[in-house]
Amino acid sequence: MELQQFLDHVNAGKTVKLPSEEMAYSGYLTQEALKVTAEINTGYHTPEELQRLFAELTGHPVNSTLGLIPPFYTDCGKSIHIGQHVFINTGCTMQDQGGVYIDDGALIGHHATLVTLNHDLDPNHRGDLHPAPIHIGKRVWLGANVTVLPGVSIGDGAVIAAGAIVTKDVPANTVAAGVPAKIIKTIERTEENE
C-alpha cells in the first residue's frame, strides 16, 4: 500500500478494518511517526530545527511561522495540516489519521488532545477504526487539557476552556466549556479583529 492510497481511504471516512492492508499500513505509519517524534522530543532544538522535523513528520513543507514546544505526540503525522502563525504548546497529542486541519493563528494549549479515530462499538469489531476529521478554525484558542473528538469543527475565533471535552461542533466567536463542552458565551468582536 502507498501513502496516498491510505490517505484516500481514511479521508473518505472509510472504516479501517482489523485485519486489513489499511490497518497494517496504519501500524507502519505509527512506527515512522514514533521515530520522528522521538527526535522532536529528545534534547533541545531551535525553532527552525523543530519546523524541519515537523515537515519530515507531516511529509509536506511547514511554514516558518509554526511555533512548537515539545514534547509533541502523534500516531501518524501524515494527515496534519497547519496554517500560518499556529502555536502548539507542550504535551500536545494529535491522533491525526482521520485528518487534523488547523487554520491560521490558532493556539493549541498545553496537553491538548485531538482524536480523529473511533473504535467500533460492536465488540466483535472493536479493533476496527472509524476516521473523522477535526477542523480548527482561524484564531481558535484551545485551552490546556482540551480534548477534541472525531468529526468536530471549531469555528473561527472560538475559545475552548481548559479541560473541556468537545464532542460537537462549536460555532465561530463563542466560548465553550465543560464536559461535554457547551457554549457559555458569545465573543464580542472589535473592528481590529476583522
Side-chain angles (χ1 to χ4, degrees):
M1 172 164 271
E2 299 290 327
L3 176 60
Q4 195 57 54
Q5 288 175 290
F6 176 79
L7 293 176
D8 289 346
H9 184 89
V10 293
N11 289 337
K14 294 180 180 175
T15 299
V16 177
K17 295 190 178 285
L18 180 67
S20 69
E21 186 179 11
E22 291 81 15
M23 187 65 78
Y25 195 76
S26 171
Y28 164 77
L29 289 175
T30 296
Q31 294 307 306
E32 292 299 304
L34 288 173
K35 290 176 193 174
V36 181
T37 56
E39 190 171 348
I40 288 171
N41 297 335
T42 305
Y44 171 76
H45 300 286
T46 66
E48 295 79 17
E49 290 169 334
L50 287 172
Q51 290 161 0
R52 179 189 59 76
L53 288 165
F54 205 83
E56 182 181 338
L57 178 67
T58 61
H60 44 81
V62 173
N63 66 75
S64 62
T65 63
L66 172 65
L68 173 66
I69 299 180
F72 176 82
Y73 306 99
T74 185
D75 65 349
C76 179
K78 302 303 185 209
S79 203
I80 297 172
H81 310 276
I82 303 281
Q84 299 282 323
H85 301 286
V86 170
F87 178 73
I88 302 170
N89 217 325
T90 187
C92 179
T93 300
M94 292 186 192
Q95 182 195 48
D96 67 288
Q97 292 183 18
V100 171
Y101 301 85
I102 302 175
D103 284 338
D104 298 347
L107 305 174
I108 311 298
H110 295 81
H111 303 285
T113 302
L114 307 180
V115 182
T116 66
L117 297 174
N118 267 324
H119 286 279
D120 203 283
L121 289 177
D122 181 344
N124 294 321
H125 298 280
R126 188 66 41 89
D128 293 353
L129 301 173
H130 301 285
I134 289 173
H135 295 269
I136 307 294
K138 293 178 181 173
R139 298 175 311 282
V140 166
W141 173 19
L142 302 184
N145 295 304
V146 163
T147 299
V148 181
L149 295 183
V152 168
S153 291
I154 299 175
D156 294 350
V159 175
I160 310 300
I165 298 179
V166 187
T167 62
K168 295 179 181 172
D169 291 355
V170 174
N173 301 310
T174 60
V175 177
V179 179
K182 294 185 181 351
I183 306 308
I184 59 170
K185 73 185 282 187
T186 300
I187 298 170
E188 298 297 323
R189 295 187 55 162
T190 61
E191 291 287 326
E192 57 193 301
N193 287 339
E194 298 298 322

